[in-house]
Amino acid sequence: MEKYRCDVCSYLYDPGRGDIVGGISKGVSFDDLPEKWRCPVCGVGKDEFAMEV
């Protein structure tokens, strides 16, 4: 599964780790995150993330 980096604060969403702060379990792909999910560091939405290459 791909990792996505926040364009604002550089937080890396890694599906292998999930997002404990946001209540997202390990194994949830970025595409499957709820639309209301926000970056746990700076609070921006999914539209401010880009796939890590």
Side-chain angles (χ1 to χ4, degrees):
M1 282 191 257
E2 292 89 9
K3 298 176 185 177
Y4 283 76
R5 187 167 302 277
C6 177
D7 292 332
V8 175
C9 72
S10 296
Y11 168 79
L12 181 66
Y13 178 75
D14 178 353
R17 297 185 70 187
D19 171 19
I20 294 171
V21 173
I24 306 297
S25 302
K26 291 191 287 186
V28 176
S29 72
F30 187 81
D31 291 335
D32 290 337
L33 289 172
E35 286 304 314
K36 64 181 180 178
W37 180 82
R38 299 282 185 223
C39 176
V41 176
C42 70
V44 299
K46 290 174 61 176
D47 59 331
E48 296 292 335
F49 279 72
M51 188 186 313
E52 185 79 350
V53 267

